[in-house]
Amino acid sequence: MHSTLIVARMDPGSILQVAELFADFDATEMPHRMGTRRRQLFEYRGLYFHLQDSDEDNGGKLIQEARNDERFVRISDDLKPYIEAYDPKTWRSPADAMARRFYSWRASA
C-alpha cells in the first residue's frame, strides 16, 4: 500500500461541503481510474490533510493521466472556495502540497 498526504489550508466551517464534494466524486469510477483504494480527509485548526492510499507507488502516473478528465477538473474547481494552498507563493501543482514521509513502521503479522 502506498500513501500520499496533501496538506493545505481550510476553513473548519467548510468540512461538510468538502466531504460532500468528495463523496460525490468517489461515487464515480474516478477513484478506481486514479488507483485510489482509500481516501481520508482530516481538519486540524484550519489545516486540511488529505490522505490517499493506493495499491502501489506509480509516481502519481494514474493521477496525472486523470487530471484532464472533466470530473477531476470539476472537483478541483469546486474545492477552490474551501481549500487553499498551504504556501501560495510556492504552490504550482498538488505535488507542491504533498508531505514527505520520513518514518514508517508496521506491525508484523
Side-chain angles (χ1 to χ4, degrees), residues 79-93:
L79 288 168
K80 285 180 182 176
Y82 309 111
I83 309 290
E84 65 181 70
Y86 180 80
D87 184 357
K89 295 177 197 166
T90 61
W91 193 90
R92 294 173 309 283
S93 75

mmCIF file with all atom_site columns, all heavy atoms in Angstrom, residues 79-93:
data_model
loop_
_atom_site.group_PDB
_atom_site.id
_atom_site.type_symbol
_atom_site.label_atom_id
_atom_site.label_alt_id
_atom_site.label_comp_id
_atom_site.label_asym_id
_atom_site.label_entity_id
_atom_site.label_seq_id
_atom_site.pdbx_PDB_ins_code
_atom_site.Cartn_x
_atom_site.Cartn_y
_atom_site.Cartn_z
_atom_site.occupancy
_atom_site.B_iso_or_equiv
_atom_site.pdbx_formal_charge
_atom_site.auth_seq_id
_atom_site.auth_comp_id
_atom_site.auth_asym_id
_atom_site.auth_atom_id
_atom_site.pdbx_PDB_model_num
ATOM 1   N N   . LEU A 1 79 ? -13.549 22.740 -5.232  1.00 0.00 ? 79 LEU A N   1
ATOM 2   C CA  . LEU A 1 79 ? -12.872 22.818 -3.934  1.00 0.00 ? 79 LEU A CA  1
ATOM 3   C C   . LEU A 1 79 ? -12.201 24.173 -3.682  1.00 0.00 ? 79 LEU A C   1
ATOM 4   O O   . LEU A 1 79 ? -11.902 24.510 -2.546  1.00 0.00 ? 79 LEU A O   1
ATOM 5   C CB  . LEU A 1 79 ? -11.826 21.704 -3.827  1.00 0.00 ? 79 LEU A CB  1
ATOM 6   C CG  . LEU A 1 79 ? -12.366 20.293 -3.650  1.00 0.00 ? 79 LEU A CG  1
ATOM 7   C CD1 . LEU A 1 79 ? -11.250 19.271 -3.843  1.00 0.00 ? 79 LEU A CD1 1
ATOM 8   C CD2 . LEU A 1 79 ? -13.025 20.130 -2.286  1.00 0.00 ? 79 LEU A CD2 1
ATOM 9   N N   . LYS A 1 80 ? -11.982 24.942 -4.732  1.00 0.00 ? 80 LYS A N   1
ATOM 10  C CA  . LYS A 1 80 ? -11.243 26.205 -4.590  1.00 0.00 ? 80 LYS A CA  1
ATOM 11  C C   . LYS A 1 80 ? -11.820 27.162 -3.546  1.00 0.00 ? 80 LYS A C   1
ATOM 12  O O   . LYS A 1 80 ? -11.052 27.811 -2.839  1.00 0.00 ? 80 LYS A O   1
ATOM 13  C CB  . LYS A 1 80 ? -11.103 26.893 -5.947  1.00 0.00 ? 80 LYS A CB  1
ATOM 14  C CG  . LYS A 1 80 ? -10.067 26.228 -6.815  1.00 0.00 ? 80 LYS A CG  1
ATOM 15  C CD  . LYS A 1 80 ? -9.930  26.905 -8.159  1.00 0.00 ? 80 LYS A CD  1
ATOM 16  C CE  . LYS A 1 80 ? -8.908  26.146 -9.002  1.00 0.00 ? 80 LYS A CE  1
ATOM 17  N NZ  . LYS A 1 80 ? -8.801  26.690 -10.353 1.00 0.00 ? 80 LYS A NZ  1
ATOM 18  N N   . PRO A 1 81 ? -13.156 27.278 -3.401  1.00 0.00 ? 81 PRO A N   1
ATOM 19  C CA  . PRO A 1 81 ? -13.654 28.187 -2.366  1.00 0.00 ? 81 PRO A CA  1
ATOM 20  C C   . PRO A 1 81 ? -13.354 27.707 -0.938  1.00 0.00 ? 81 PRO A C   1
ATOM 21  O O   . PRO A 1 81 ? -13.440 28.500 0.004   1.00 0.00 ? 81 PRO A O   1
ATOM 22  C CB  . PRO A 1 81 ? -15.171 28.205 -2.592  1.00 0.00 ? 81 PRO A CB  1
ATOM 23  C CG  . PRO A 1 81 ? -15.375 27.693 -3.973  1.00 0.00 ? 81 PRO A CG  1
ATOM 24  C CD  . PRO A 1 81 ? -14.228 26.770 -4.249  1.00 0.00 ? 81 PRO A CD  1
ATOM 25  N N   . TYR A 1 82 ? -13.010 26.428 -0.783  1.00 0.00 ? 82 TYR A N   1
ATOM 26  C CA  . TYR A 1 82 ? -12.851 25.846 0.551   1.00 0.00 ? 82 TYR A CA  1
ATOM 27  C C   . TYR A 1 82 ? -11.404 25.505 0.921   1.00 0.00 ? 82 TYR A C   1
ATOM 28  O O   . TYR A 1 82 ? -11.049 25.526 2.089   1.00 0.00 ? 82 TYR A O   1
ATOM 29  C CB  . TYR A 1 82 ? -13.681 24.568 0.664   1.00 0.00 ? 82 TYR A CB  1
ATOM 30  C CG  . TYR A 1 82 ? -15.107 24.755 0.231   1.00 0.00 ? 82 TYR A CG  1
ATOM 31  C CD1 . TYR A 1 82 ? -15.588 24.165 -0.924  1.00 0.00 ? 82 TYR A CD1 1
ATOM 32  C CD2 . TYR A 1 82 ? -15.976 25.554 0.975   1.00 0.00 ? 82 TYR A CD2 1
ATOM 33  C CE1 . TYR A 1 82 ? -16.904 24.341 -1.327  1.00 0.00 ? 82 TYR A CE1 1
ATOM 34  C CE2 . TYR A 1 82 ? -17.296 25.742 0.573   1.00 0.00 ? 82 TYR A CE2 1
ATOM 35  C CZ  . TYR A 1 82 ? -17.752 25.131 -0.582  1.00 0.00 ? 82 TYR A CZ  1
ATOM 36  O OH  . TYR A 1 82 ? -19.048 25.315 -0.983  1.00 0.00 ? 82 TYR A OH  1
ATOM 37  N N   . ILE A 1 83 ? -10.607 25.145 -0.072  1.00 0.00 ? 83 ILE A N   1
ATOM 38  C CA  . ILE A 1 83 ? -9.236  24.687 0.159   1.00 0.00 ? 83 ILE A CA  1
ATOM 39  C C   . ILE A 1 83 ? -8.274  25.661 -0.509  1.00 0.00 ? 83 ILE A C   1
ATOM 40  O O   . ILE A 1 83 ? -8.457  26.018 -1.668  1.00 0.00 ? 83 ILE A O   1
ATOM 41  C CB  . ILE A 1 83 ? -8.998  23.277 -0.453  1.00 0.00 ? 83 ILE A CB  1
ATOM 42  C CG1 . ILE A 1 83 ? -10.069 22.290 -0.013  1.00 0.00 ? 83 ILE A CG1 1
ATOM 43  C CG2 . ILE A 1 83 ? -7.597  22.788 -0.156  1.00 0.00 ? 83 ILE A CG2 1
ATOM 44  C CD1 . ILE A 1 83 ? -10.019 21.896 1.429   1.00 0.00 ? 83 ILE A CD1 1
ATOM 45  N N   . GLU A 1 84 ? -7.254  26.076 0.218   1.00 0.00 ? 84 GLU A N   1
ATOM 46  C CA  . GLU A 1 84 ? -6.233  26.926 -0.389  1.00 0.00 ? 84 GLU A CA  1
ATOM 47  C C   . GLU A 1 84 ? -4.852  26.359 -0.079  1.00 0.00 ? 84 GLU A C   1
ATOM 48  O O   . GLU A 1 84 ? -4.671  25.615 0.882   1.00 0.00 ? 84 GLU A O   1
ATOM 49  C CB  . GLU A 1 84 ? -6.345  28.364 0.097   1.00 0.00 ? 84 GLU A CB  1
ATOM 50  C CG  . GLU A 1 84 ? -6.066  28.554 1.562   1.00 0.00 ? 84 GLU A CG  1
ATOM 51  C CD  . GLU A 1 84 ? -6.223  30.009 1.982   1.00 0.00 ? 84 GLU A CD  1
ATOM 52  O OE1 . GLU A 1 84 ? -7.357  30.496 1.996   1.00 0.00 ? 84 GLU A OE1 1
ATOM 53  O OE2 . GLU A 1 84 ? -5.193  30.621 2.306   1.00 0.00 ? 84 GLU A OE2 1
ATOM 54  N N   . ALA A 1 85 ? -3.920  26.691 -0.920  1.00 0.00 ? 85 ALA A N   1
ATOM 55  C CA  . ALA A 1 85 ? -2.554  26.186 -0.764  1.00 0.00 ? 85 ALA A CA  1
ATOM 56  C C   . ALA A 1 85 ? -2.005  26.556 0.606   1.00 0.00 ? 85 ALA A C   1
ATOM 57  O O   . ALA A 1 85 ? -2.270  27.642 1.127   1.00 0.00 ? 85 ALA A O   1
ATOM 58  C CB  . ALA A 1 85 ? -1.656  26.751 -1.855  1.00 0.00 ? 85 ALA A CB  1
ATOM 59  N N   . TYR A 1 86 ? -1.229  25.662 1.178   1.00 0.00 ? 86 TYR A N   1
ATOM 60  C CA  . TYR A 1 86 ? -0.577  25.946 2.458   1.00 0.00 ? 86 TYR A CA  1
ATOM 61  C C   . TYR A 1 86 ? 0.355   27.140 2.292   1.00 0.00 ? 86 TYR A C   1
ATOM 62  O O   . TYR A 1 86 ? 0.395   28.032 3.126   1.00 0.00 ? 86 TYR A O   1
ATOM 63  C CB  . TYR A 1 86 ? 0.192   24.711 2.937   1.00 0.00 ? 86 TYR A CB  1
ATOM 64  C CG  . TYR A 1 86 ? 0.887   24.952 4.250   1.00 0.00 ? 86 TYR A CG  1
ATOM 65  C CD1 . TYR A 1 86 ? 0.177   24.885 5.443   1.00 0.00 ? 86 TYR A CD1 1
ATOM 66  C CD2 . TYR A 1 86 ? 2.233   25.277 4.299   1.00 0.00 ? 86 TYR A CD2 1
ATOM 67  C CE1 . TYR A 1 86 ? 0.794   25.135 6.660   1.00 0.00 ? 86 TYR A CE1 1
ATOM 68  C CE2 . TYR A 1 86 ? 2.857   25.528 5.505   1.00 0.00 ? 86 TYR A CE2 1
ATOM 69  C CZ  . TYR A 1 86 ? 2.140   25.454 6.677   1.00 0.00 ? 86 TYR A CZ  1
ATOM 70  O OH  . TYR A 1 86 ? 2.753   25.701 7.876   1.00 0.00 ? 86 TYR A OH  1
ATOM 71  N N   . ASP A 1 87 ? 1.104   27.140 1.197   1.00 0.00 ? 87 ASP A N   1
ATOM 72  C CA  . ASP A 1 87 ? 2.008   28.246 0.898   1.00 0.00 ? 87 ASP A CA  1
ATOM 73  C C   . ASP A 1 87 ? 1.762   28.678 -0.549  1.00 0.00 ? 87 ASP A C   1
ATOM 74  O O   . ASP A 1 87 ? 2.363   28.142 -1.476  1.00 0.00 ? 87 ASP A O   1
ATOM 75  C CB  . ASP A 1 87 ? 3.467   27.827 1.091   1.00 0.00 ? 87 ASP A CB  1
ATOM 76  C CG  . ASP A 1 87 ? 4.446   28.963 0.900   1.00 0.00 ? 87 ASP A CG  1
ATOM 77  O OD1 . ASP A 1 87 ? 4.024   30.090 0.563   1.00 0.00 ? 87 ASP A OD1 1
ATOM 78  O OD2 . ASP A 1 87 ? 5.650   28.735 1.084   1.00 0.00 ? 87 ASP A OD2 1
ATOM 79  N N   . PRO A 1 88 ? 0.868   29.636 -0.756  1.00 0.00 ? 88 PRO A N   1
ATOM 80  C CA  . PRO A 1 88 ? 0.520   30.046 -2.119  1.00 0.00 ? 88 PRO A CA  1
ATOM 81  C C   . PRO A 1 88 ? 1.700   30.545 -2.946  1.00 0.00 ? 88 PRO A C   1
ATOM 82  O O   . PRO A 1 88 ? 1.683   30.456 -4.169  1.00 0.00 ? 88 PRO A O   1
ATOM 83  C CB  . PRO A 1 88 ? -0.490  31.178 -1.909  1.00 0.00 ? 88 PRO A CB  1
ATOM 84  C CG  . PRO A 1 88 ? -0.982  31.030 -0.517  1.00 0.00 ? 88 PRO A CG  1
ATOM 85  C CD  . PRO A 1 88 ? 0.122   30.357 0.248   1.00 0.00 ? 88 PRO A CD  1
ATOM 86  N N   . LYS A 1 89 ? 2.751   31.032 -2.287  1.00 0.00 ? 89 LYS A N   1
ATOM 87  C CA  . LYS A 1 89 ? 3.917   31.544 -3.019  1.00 0.00 ? 89 LYS A CA  1
ATOM 88  C C   . LYS A 1 89 ? 4.672   30.440 -3.749  1.00 0.00 ? 89 LYS A C   1
ATOM 89  O O   . LYS A 1 89 ? 5.293   30.684 -4.777  1.00 0.00 ? 89 LYS A O   1
ATOM 90  C CB  . LYS A 1 89 ? 4.876   32.255 -2.059  1.00 0.00 ? 89 LYS A CB  1
ATOM 91  C CG  . LYS A 1 89 ? 4.309   33.501 -1.442  1.00 0.00 ? 89 LYS A CG  1
ATOM 92  C CD  . LYS A 1 89 ? 5.302   34.086 -0.456  1.00 0.00 ? 89 LYS A CD  1
ATOM 93  C CE  . LYS A 1 89 ? 4.605   35.076 0.451   1.00 0.00 ? 89 LYS A CE  1
ATOM 94  N NZ  . LYS A 1 89 ? 5.415   35.424 1.603   1.00 0.00 ? 89 LYS A NZ  1
ATOM 95  N N   . THR A 1 90 ? 4.639   29.227 -3.214  1.00 0.00 ? 90 THR A N   1
ATOM 96  C CA  . THR A 1 90 ? 5.430   28.140 -3.807  1.00 0.00 ? 90 THR A CA  1
ATOM 97  C C   . THR A 1 90 ? 4.577   27.087 -4.501  1.00 0.00 ? 90 THR A C   1
ATOM 98  O O   . THR A 1 90 ? 5.111   26.188 -5.131  1.00 0.00 ? 90 THR A O   1
ATOM 99  C CB  . THR A 1 90 ? 6.273   27.440 -2.725  1.00 0.00 ? 90 THR A CB  1
ATOM 100 O OG1 . THR A 1 90 ? 5.398   26.869 -1.744  1.00 0.00 ? 90 THR A OG1 1
ATOM 101 C CG2 . THR A 1 90 ? 7.243   28.409 -2.062  1.00 0.00 ? 90 THR A CG2 1
ATOM 102 N N   . TRP A 1 91 ? 3.245   27.190 -4.403  1.00 0.00 ? 91 TRP A N   1
ATOM 103 C CA  . TRP A 1 91 ? 2.369   26.158 -4.963  1.00 0.00 ? 91 TRP A CA  1
ATOM 104 C C   . TRP A 1 91 ? 2.222   26.313 -6.466  1.00 0.00 ? 91 TRP A C   1
ATOM 105 O O   . TRP A 1 91 ? 1.887   27.374 -6.971  1.00 0.00 ? 91 TRP A O   1
ATOM 106 C CB  . TRP A 1 91 ? 0.996   26.231 -4.310  1.00 0.00 ? 91 TRP A CB  1
ATOM 107 C CG  . TRP A 1 91 ? 0.171   25.015 -4.613  1.00 0.00 ? 91 TRP A CG  1
ATOM 108 C CD1 . TRP A 1 91 ? 0.128   23.882 -3.883  1.00 0.00 ? 91 TRP A CD1 1
ATOM 109 C CD2 . TRP A 1 91 ? -0.709  24.819 -5.710  1.00 0.00 ? 91 TRP A CD2 1
ATOM 110 N NE1 . TRP A 1 91 ? -0.731  22.973 -4.465  1.00 0.00 ? 91 TRP A NE1 1
ATOM 111 C CE2 . TRP A 1 91 ? -1.262  23.523 -5.588  1.00 0.00 ? 91 TRP A CE2 1
ATOM 112 C CE3 . TRP A 1 91 ? -1.085  25.590 -6.795  1.00 0.00 ? 91 TRP A CE3 1
ATOM 113 C CZ2 . TRP A 1 91 ? -2.160  23.003 -6.503  1.00 0.00 ? 91 TRP A CZ2 1
ATOM 114 C CZ3 . TRP A 1 91 ? -1.981  25.081 -7.709  1.00 0.00 ? 91 TRP A CZ3 1
ATOM 115 C CH2 . TRP A 1 91 ? -2.507  23.796 -7.549  1.00 0.00 ? 91 TRP A CH2 1
ATOM 116 N N   . ARG A 1 92 ? 2.521   25.222 -7.189  1.00 0.00 ? 92 ARG A N   1
ATOM 117 C CA  . ARG A 1 92 ? 2.332   25.171 -8.633  1.00 0.00 ? 92 ARG A CA  1
ATOM 118 C C   . ARG A 1 92 ? 1.462   23.990 -9.030  1.00 0.00 ? 92 ARG A C   1
ATOM 119 O O   . ARG A 1 92 ? 0.791   24.025 -10.035 1.00 0.00 ? 92 ARG A O   1
ATOM 120 C CB  . ARG A 1 92 ? 3.691   25.083 -9.344  1.00 0.00 ? 92 ARG A CB  1
ATOM 121 C CG  . ARG A 1 92 ? 4.541   26.335 -9.178  1.00 0.00 ? 92 ARG A CG  1
ATOM 122 C CD  . ARG A 1 92 ? 5.941   26.186 -9.737  1.00 0.00 ? 92 ARG A CD  1
ATOM 123 N NE  . ARG A 1 92 ? 6.682   25.014 -9.304  1.00 0.00 ? 92 ARG A NE  1
ATOM 124 C CZ  . ARG A 1 92 ? 7.275   24.840 -8.126  1.00 0.00 ? 92 ARG A CZ  1
ATOM 125 N NH1 . ARG A 1 92 ? 7.214   25.780 -7.222  1.00 0.00 ? 92 ARG A NH1 1
ATOM 126 N NH2 . ARG A 1 92 ? 7.923   23.747 -7.836  1.00 0.00 ? 92 ARG A NH2 1
ATOM 127 N N   . SER A 1 93 ? 1.494   22.932 -8.226  1.00 0.00 ? 93 SER A N   1
ATOM 128 C CA  . SER A 1 93 ? 0.702   21.737 -8.511  1.00 0.00 ? 93 SER A CA  1
ATOM 129 C C   . SER A 1 93 ? 0.488   20.987 -7.196  1.00 0.00 ? 93 SER A C   1
ATOM 130 O O   . SER A 1 93 ? 1.149   21.289 -6.196  1.00 0.00 ? 93 SER A O   1
ATOM 131 C CB  . SER A 1 93 ? 1.435   20.848 -9.520  1.00 0.00 ? 93 SER A CB  1
ATOM 132 O OG  . SER A 1 93 ? 2.498   20.173 -8.893  1.00 0.00 ? 93 SER A OG  1
#
